[in-house]
Amino acid sequence: MSFETLPWHLPPGWPLILGGLALALFPVRWRAWLLPLPALLALIHLERFDTGAFGVVTMLDQKLVLARLDALAWPFAWLFGFAALVSSVYLRSRPHRREVAAGLIYAGAAIGAVCAGDLLSLFLYWELTALASTLLLIPHDARPDYGVALRYLMVQVLSGVLLLGGVILHLQGGGTLNFDALSLGNAGNTWILAAFAIKAAFPLLHGWVVEAYPAASPAGTVFLSAFTTKLAIYALARGFTGTELLIPVGAVMILFTLVLGLREDDLRRTLVYGLINQLGFMVMALGIGTPLAQSAAVAHAISHVLYSGLLFMGLGAVLLRTG
């Protein structure tokens, strides 16, 4: 095994992960004041990286690239860092210990995933986002209902199992661990696409989003809306841009959410259907696969994180004031 030292010692995202663990130990008053600090440190740390691959581990003739920043990973990493900063400020009003730790670790794992240069590192961050985001769904009252959190965790773990199984089949078919463009020519890559499809809320796989996001606290919903589905869009952009199957899938996502969203009388569920609707446009653009279409999907993902976060923040403020 050989290892090339990372600049500044930590891969992107880890200041948030470590900061979330540390802040959970502070008293509530200190926790509230220090909440934005890990996100600021993560952005400063991210700025230290140039484009390229860092922290390359060679193991069993396979290369693990712990950090890679290029034209696709860079905007998502900065977007997630900024979203973590804004969400941290929003969380300051009610900085519950578990929610602080889960939210910051979740954001840090999402940054780590978009900077992962190999499929194994992607899997590890993929599962960390699942575990951390599940904690955001556990209520703080004396008699919490764990049903939503458990169902959400089962779906997220299924996505991880499919991803790991796909990676193993991909290697058995003569592939490498490099996380680059993949094709649907073998079973392994099909499993990997299925893992991405779950987190991207493809039709018939979207129920977890509609159930889980409204069940979280107002601040938890803001964190959830920013990372999981956009991480899936990044993964599709990295691995399956130009896959024509994505065009009809995206079209169905756009159409059926319009109908379901108009029938809702719960505003948070309506916003969730709107979120899936916009994911459909991104998925369709990635299926078209031209450089312009891919750029449009990335640009739309960035704008959607910003405006959907603002919508959920505004709605959360109303819920906190009115009940």
Side-chain angles (χ1 to χ4, degrees):
M1 177 187 293
S2 65
F3 178 76
E4 300 172 17
T5 304
L6 282 167
W8 299 87
H9 309 297
L10 289 175
W14 274 88
L16 277 164
I17 296 172
L18 298 177
L21 293 172
L23 284 182
L25 304 176
F26 280 78
V28 63
R29 180 178 299 180
W30 283 95
R31 200 183 307 144
W33 280 106
L34 295 174
L35 243 174
L37 184 60
L40 286 172
L41 292 176
L43 289 171
I44 293 171
H45 182 63
L46 187 62
E47 193 274 333
R48 302 291 182 179
F49 285 83
D50 297 319
T51 56
F54 309 96
V56 179
V57 180
T58 303
M59 183 173 58
L60 301 177
D61 297 325
Q62 294 286 343
K63 282 190 175 182
L64 306 182
V65 183
L66 304 184
R68 173 183 60 186
L69 279 174
D70 56 16
L72 183 57
W74 187 90
F76 278 96
W78 279 93
L79 171 66
F80 287 170
F82 179 75
L85 176 61
V86 175
S87 301
S88 298
V89 173
Y90 188 75
L91 184 57
R92 287 184 67 245
S93 62
R94 295 191 176 186
H96 188 275
R97 189 186 309 274
R98 184 178 63 239
E99 201 163 58
V100 167
L104 295 182
I105 293 172
Y106 177 33
I111 294 175
V114 300
C115 293
D118 66 89
L119 291 167
L120 182 58
S121 298
L122 174 69
F123 165 75
L124 295 175
Y125 285 118
W126 198 264
E127 290 298 88
L128 185 56
T129 61
L131 296 174
S133 58
T134 299
L135 295 177
L136 294 172
L137 297 172
I138 299 176
H140 305 149
D141 53 42
R143 299 176 61 185
D145 179 9
Y146 295 101
V148 174
L150 287 174
R151 288 190 291 272
Y152 173 90
L153 181 61
M154 289 172 61
V155 172
Q156 300 302 311
V157 169
L158 173 61
S159 174
V161 169
L162 288 171
L163 177 57
L164 182 60
V167 171
I168 293 172
L169 292 175
H170 177 71
L171 290 174
Q172 290 178 343
T176 69
L177 284 176
N178 295 336
F179 183 28
D180 291 308
L182 304 168
S183 64
L184 292 181
N186 59 66
N189 292 348
T190 302
W191 283 37
I192 293 173
L193 177 60
F196 296 167
I198 290 175
K199 289 209 175 190
F202 278 20
L204 304 182
L205 302 174
H206 68 284
W208 64 271
V209 186
V210 180
E211 181 186 41
Y213 283 24
S217 69
T221 304
V222 173
F223 274 98
L224 289 169
S225 69
F227 300 112
T228 296
T229 53
K230 306 314 178 297
L231 173 57
I233 292 298
Y234 164 80
L236 289 171
R238 172 71 69 185
F240 295 99
T241 291
T243 301
E244 294 184 356
L245 175 64
L246 298 180
I247 299 175
V249 169
V252 173
M253 292 174 71
I254 294 168
L255 295 174
F256 91 89
T257 51
L258 285 175
V259 176
L260 295 178
L262 289 172
R263 296 175 59 189
E264 277 294 339
D265 57 3
D266 183 307
L267 187 52
R268 288 214 285 183
R269 289 173 67 92
T270 301
L271 290 182
V272 170
Y273 280 120
L275 182 150
I276 300 172
N277 176 270
Q278 298 305 303
L279 293 175
F281 287 101
M282 302 172 209
V283 170
M284 182 182 288
L286 293 175
I288 294 171
T290 64
L292 181 60
Q294 186 186 48
S295 298
V298 174
H300 190 29
I302 293 171
S303 67
H304 189 257
V305 167
L306 299 177
Y307 77 73
S308 67
L310 288 172
L311 285 171
F312 280 111
M313 285 179 187
L315 180 56
V318 172
L319 290 172
L320 287 174
R321 292 298 182 187
T322 67

Short mmCIF file of all heavy atoms in Angstrom, two decimals, residues 75 78-87 222 225-227 230 275 282 298-314:
data_model
loop_
_atom_site.label_atom_id
_atom_site.label_comp_id
_atom_site.label_asym_id
_atom_site.label_seq_id
_atom_site.Cartn_x
_atom_site.Cartn_y
_atom_site.Cartn_z
N PRO A 75 -18.06 22.88 -8.44
CA PRO A 75 -19.27 23.67 -8.10
C PRO A 75 -20.15 22.99 -7.06
O PRO A 75 -20.75 23.66 -6.22
CB PRO A 75 -19.99 23.82 -9.45
CG PRO A 75 -19.44 22.74 -10.32
CD PRO A 75 -18.04 22.52 -9.87
N TRP A 78 -18.52 23.47 -3.48
CA TRP A 78 -18.72 24.83 -2.97
C TRP A 78 -20.19 25.08 -2.67
O TRP A 78 -20.53 25.76 -1.69
CB TRP A 78 -18.19 25.86 -3.97
CG TRP A 78 -16.71 26.04 -3.85
CD1 TRP A 78 -15.74 25.40 -4.55
CD2 TRP A 78 -16.03 26.92 -2.94
NE1 TRP A 78 -14.49 25.82 -4.14
CE2 TRP A 78 -14.65 26.75 -3.16
CE3 TRP A 78 -16.46 27.82 -1.98
CZ2 TRP A 78 -13.69 27.46 -2.44
CZ3 TRP A 78 -15.51 28.54 -1.26
CH2 TRP A 78 -14.14 28.34 -1.49
N LEU A 79 -21.07 24.55 -3.50
CA LEU A 79 -22.50 24.70 -3.24
C LEU A 79 -22.88 24.06 -1.91
O LEU A 79 -23.60 24.66 -1.10
CB LEU A 79 -23.30 24.05 -4.38
CG LEU A 79 -24.81 23.93 -4.18
CD1 LEU A 79 -25.46 25.31 -4.13
CD2 LEU A 79 -25.43 23.08 -5.27
N PHE A 80 -22.41 22.84 -1.67
CA PHE A 80 -22.74 22.16 -0.42
C PHE A 80 -22.12 22.88 0.78
O PHE A 80 -22.72 22.93 1.86
CB PHE A 80 -22.27 20.71 -0.47
CG PHE A 80 -23.10 19.82 -1.37
CD1 PHE A 80 -22.68 18.54 -1.69
CD2 PHE A 80 -24.30 20.27 -1.91
CE1 PHE A 80 -23.44 17.72 -2.50
CE2 PHE A 80 -25.07 19.47 -2.74
CZ PHE A 80 -24.64 18.18 -3.03
N GLY A 81 -20.93 23.42 0.60
CA GLY A 81 -20.32 24.17 1.68
C GLY A 81 -21.12 25.42 2.03
O GLY A 81 -21.35 25.73 3.21
N PHE A 82 -21.57 26.14 1.01
CA PHE A 82 -22.38 27.34 1.25
C PHE A 82 -23.72 26.96 1.86
O PHE A 82 -24.21 27.63 2.78
CB PHE A 82 -22.59 28.09 -0.06
CG PHE A 82 -23.43 29.33 0.07
CD1 PHE A 82 -22.91 30.47 0.65
CD2 PHE A 82 -24.75 29.34 -0.36
CE1 PHE A 82 -23.68 31.61 0.79
CE2 PHE A 82 -25.53 30.47 -0.24
CZ PHE A 82 -25.00 31.62 0.35
N ALA A 83 -24.34 25.87 1.36
CA ALA A 83 -25.62 25.42 1.93
C ALA A 83 -25.44 25.03 3.39
O ALA A 83 -26.33 25.29 4.22
CB ALA A 83 -26.16 24.25 1.12
N ALA A 84 -24.32 24.41 3.73
CA ALA A 84 -24.06 24.05 5.13
C ALA A 84 -23.94 25.30 6.00
O ALA A 84 -24.43 25.33 7.13
CB ALA A 84 -22.78 23.22 5.22
N LEU A 85 -23.31 26.34 5.48
CA LEU A 85 -23.16 27.58 6.23
C LEU A 85 -24.52 28.23 6.50
O LEU A 85 -24.85 28.60 7.64
CB LEU A 85 -22.26 28.55 5.47
CG LEU A 85 -22.08 29.95 6.08
CD1 LEU A 85 -21.46 29.85 7.46
CD2 LEU A 85 -21.23 30.82 5.16
N VAL A 86 -25.34 28.36 5.45
CA VAL A 86 -26.65 28.98 5.61
C VAL A 86 -27.54 28.13 6.52
O VAL A 86 -28.24 28.66 7.40
CB VAL A 86 -27.31 29.18 4.23
CG1 VAL A 86 -28.73 29.73 4.38
CG2 VAL A 86 -26.47 30.14 3.38
N SER A 87 -27.52 26.82 6.34
CA SER A 87 -28.33 25.95 7.19
C SER A 87 -27.89 26.01 8.64
O SER A 87 -28.72 25.93 9.56
CB SER A 87 -28.25 24.50 6.68
OG SER A 87 -28.70 24.40 5.34
N VAL A 222 -34.50 21.73 5.95
CA VAL A 222 -33.60 22.56 5.15
C VAL A 222 -32.33 21.77 4.81
O VAL A 222 -31.87 21.78 3.66
CB VAL A 222 -33.25 23.86 5.91
CG1 VAL A 222 -32.17 24.64 5.17
CG2 VAL A 222 -34.49 24.72 6.08
N SER A 225 -33.22 18.98 2.22
CA SER A 225 -33.52 19.44 0.86
C SER A 225 -32.26 19.80 0.08
O SER A 225 -32.30 19.87 -1.16
CB SER A 225 -34.45 20.65 0.92
OG SER A 225 -33.78 21.78 1.46
N ALA A 226 -31.16 20.04 0.78
CA ALA A 226 -29.96 20.55 0.10
C ALA A 226 -29.03 19.46 -0.42
O ALA A 226 -28.35 19.68 -1.43
CB ALA A 226 -29.18 21.47 1.06
N PHE A 227 -28.99 18.29 0.22
CA PHE A 227 -27.86 17.41 -0.02
C PHE A 227 -28.18 16.09 -0.72
O PHE A 227 -27.59 15.79 -1.76
CB PHE A 227 -27.13 17.14 1.30
CG PHE A 227 -26.60 18.38 1.96
CD1 PHE A 227 -27.14 18.84 3.14
CD2 PHE A 227 -25.58 19.11 1.37
CE1 PHE A 227 -26.66 19.99 3.74
CE2 PHE A 227 -25.09 20.27 1.95
CZ PHE A 227 -25.65 20.70 3.14
N LYS A 230 -29.39 16.15 -4.46
CA LYS A 230 -28.40 16.83 -5.32
C LYS A 230 -27.12 16.02 -5.41
O LYS A 230 -26.43 16.07 -6.43
CB LYS A 230 -28.11 18.24 -4.79
CG LYS A 230 -29.34 19.10 -4.60
CD LYS A 230 -30.27 19.04 -5.79
CE LYS A 230 -31.51 19.89 -5.55
NZ LYS A 230 -32.34 19.42 -4.41
N LEU A 275 -39.90 19.85 -5.49
CA LEU A 275 -38.48 19.48 -5.52
C LEU A 275 -38.25 18.33 -6.50
O LEU A 275 -37.32 18.37 -7.33
CB LEU A 275 -38.04 19.10 -4.10
CG LEU A 275 -36.58 18.71 -3.85
CD1 LEU A 275 -36.20 19.09 -2.42
CD2 LEU A 275 -36.34 17.22 -4.05
N MET A 282 -33.46 18.14 -14.32
CA MET A 282 -32.02 17.85 -14.27
C MET A 282 -31.74 16.47 -14.85
O MET A 282 -30.78 16.30 -15.63
CB MET A 282 -31.53 17.92 -12.82
CG MET A 282 -31.76 19.24 -12.13
SD MET A 282 -31.35 19.16 -10.37
CE MET A 282 -32.46 20.39 -9.70
N VAL A 298 -26.29 21.09 -14.05
CA VAL A 298 -25.50 21.53 -12.89
C VAL A 298 -25.95 22.91 -12.44
O VAL A 298 -26.13 23.16 -11.23
CB VAL A 298 -24.00 21.53 -13.24
CG1 VAL A 298 -23.18 22.14 -12.10
CG2 VAL A 298 -23.52 20.11 -13.54
N ALA A 299 -26.16 23.82 -13.39
CA ALA A 299 -26.60 25.17 -13.04
C ALA A 299 -27.97 25.13 -12.35
O ALA A 299 -28.22 25.86 -11.38
CB ALA A 299 -26.66 26.05 -14.29
N HIS A 300 -28.86 24.28 -12.85
CA HIS A 300 -30.18 24.18 -12.25
C HIS A 300 -30.10 23.57 -10.86
O HIS A 300 -30.85 23.97 -9.94
CB HIS A 300 -31.11 23.36 -13.14
CG HIS A 300 -32.54 23.41 -12.72
ND1 HIS A 300 -33.10 24.49 -12.07
CD2 HIS A 300 -33.55 22.50 -12.87
CE1 HIS A 300 -34.38 24.25 -11.83
NE2 HIS A 300 -34.67 23.05 -12.30
N ALA A 301 -29.21 22.60 -10.66
CA ALA A 301 -29.02 22.02 -9.33
C ALA A 301 -28.56 23.10 -8.34
O ALA A 301 -29.04 23.15 -7.19
CB ALA A 301 -28.00 20.89 -9.38
N ILE A 302 -27.66 23.95 -8.77
CA ILE A 302 -27.18 25.03 -7.89
C ILE A 302 -28.31 25.98 -7.54
O ILE A 302 -28.53 26.31 -6.36
CB ILE A 302 -26.02 25.77 -8.57
CG1 ILE A 302 -24.80 24.85 -8.71
CG2 ILE A 302 -25.65 27.04 -7.79
CD1 ILE A 302 -23.68 25.43 -9.56
N SER A 303 -29.04 26.44 -8.55
CA SER A 303 -30.13 27.38 -8.27
C SER A 303 -31.22 26.73 -7.42
O SER A 303 -31.80 27.38 -6.55
CB SER A 303 -30.72 27.90 -9.59
OG SER A 303 -31.38 26.86 -10.30
N HIS A 304 -31.45 25.44 -7.64
CA HIS A 304 -32.52 24.78 -6.89
C HIS A 304 -32.18 24.62 -5.42
O HIS A 304 -33.05 24.78 -4.55
CB HIS A 304 -32.83 23.41 -7.51
CG HIS A 304 -34.04 22.77 -6.93
ND1 HIS A 304 -33.97 21.75 -6.00
CD2 HIS A 304 -35.36 23.02 -7.10
CE1 HIS A 304 -35.19 21.40 -5.65
NE2 HIS A 304 -36.05 22.14 -6.30
N VAL A 305 -30.93 24.31 -5.11
CA VAL A 305 -30.52 24.23 -3.71
C VAL A 305 -30.77 25.57 -3.03
O VAL A 305 -31.27 25.64 -1.89
CB VAL A 305 -29.04 23.83 -3.59
CG1 VAL A 305 -28.52 24.07 -2.17
CG2 VAL A 305 -28.86 22.37 -3.96
N LEU A 306 -30.47 26.66 -3.72
CA LEU A 306 -30.61 27.99 -3.12
C LEU A 306 -32.07 28.35 -2.92
O LEU A 306 -32.49 28.75 -1.82
CB LEU A 306 -29.90 29.03 -4.00
CG LEU A 306 -28.39 28.82 -4.19
CD1 LEU A 306 -27.82 29.87 -5.12
CD2 LEU A 306 -27.66 28.84 -2.85
N TYR A 307 -32.89 28.22 -3.96
CA TYR A 307 -34.26 28.72 -3.79
C TYR A 307 -35.14 27.74 -3.02
O TYR A 307 -36.04 28.17 -2.29
CB TYR A 307 -34.88 29.13 -5.13
CG TYR A 307 -35.38 28.06 -6.06
CD1 TYR A 307 -36.54 27.34 -5.79
CD2 TYR A 307 -34.72 27.80 -7.26
CE1 TYR A 307 -37.01 26.38 -6.67
CE2 TYR A 307 -35.19 26.85 -8.15
CZ TYR A 307 -36.34 26.14 -7.84
OH TYR A 307 -36.80 25.20 -8.71
N SER A 308 -34.90 26.44 -3.14
CA SER A 308 -35.71 25.51 -2.34
C SER A 308 -35.35 25.63 -0.87
O SER A 308 -36.22 25.53 0.01
CB SER A 308 -35.52 24.07 -2.82
OG SER A 308 -34.21 23.61 -2.57
N GLY A 309 -34.06 25.87 -0.59
CA GLY A 309 -33.66 26.11 0.79
C GLY A 309 -34.35 27.32 1.38
O GLY A 309 -34.82 27.30 2.53
N LEU A 310 -34.45 28.39 0.60
CA LEU A 310 -35.14 29.59 1.07
C LEU A 310 -36.62 29.32 1.30
O LEU A 310 -37.21 29.81 2.27
CB LEU A 310 -34.96 30.73 0.06
CG LEU A 310 -33.56 31.35 0.00
CD1 LEU A 310 -33.46 32.31 -1.18
CD2 LEU A 310 -33.24 32.08 1.30
N LEU A 311 -37.24 28.55 0.41
CA LEU A 311 -38.66 28.22 0.58
C LEU A 311 -38.89 27.42 1.86
O LEU A 311 -39.81 27.72 2.65
CB LEU A 311 -39.16 27.43 -0.63
CG LEU A 311 -39.39 28.21 -1.92
CD1 LEU A 311 -39.65 27.25 -3.08
CD2 LEU A 311 -40.56 29.16 -1.76
N PHE A 312 -38.06 26.41 2.10
CA PHE A 312 -38.22 25.62 3.32
C PHE A 312 -37.88 26.43 4.57
O PHE A 312 -38.48 26.22 5.63
CB PHE A 312 -37.35 24.36 3.24
CG PHE A 312 -37.95 23.26 2.42
CD1 PHE A 312 -37.40 22.89 1.21
CD2 PHE A 312 -39.08 22.58 2.87
CE1 PHE A 312 -37.94 21.87 0.44
CE2 PHE A 312 -39.64 21.58 2.11
CZ PHE A 312 -39.07 21.21 0.89
N MET A 313 -36.93 27.37 4.46
CA MET A 313 -36.64 28.23 5.61
C MET A 313 -37.83 29.13 5.93
O MET A 313 -38.21 29.31 7.09
CB MET A 313 -35.41 29.10 5.30
CG MET A 313 -34.10 28.35 5.37
SD MET A 313 -32.73 29.46 4.98
CE MET A 313 -31.38 28.29 4.93
N GLY A 314 -38.41 29.73 4.89
CA GLY A 314 -39.57 30.60 5.11
C GLY A 314 -40.73 29.83 5.71
O GLY A 314 -41.38 30.29 6.66
#
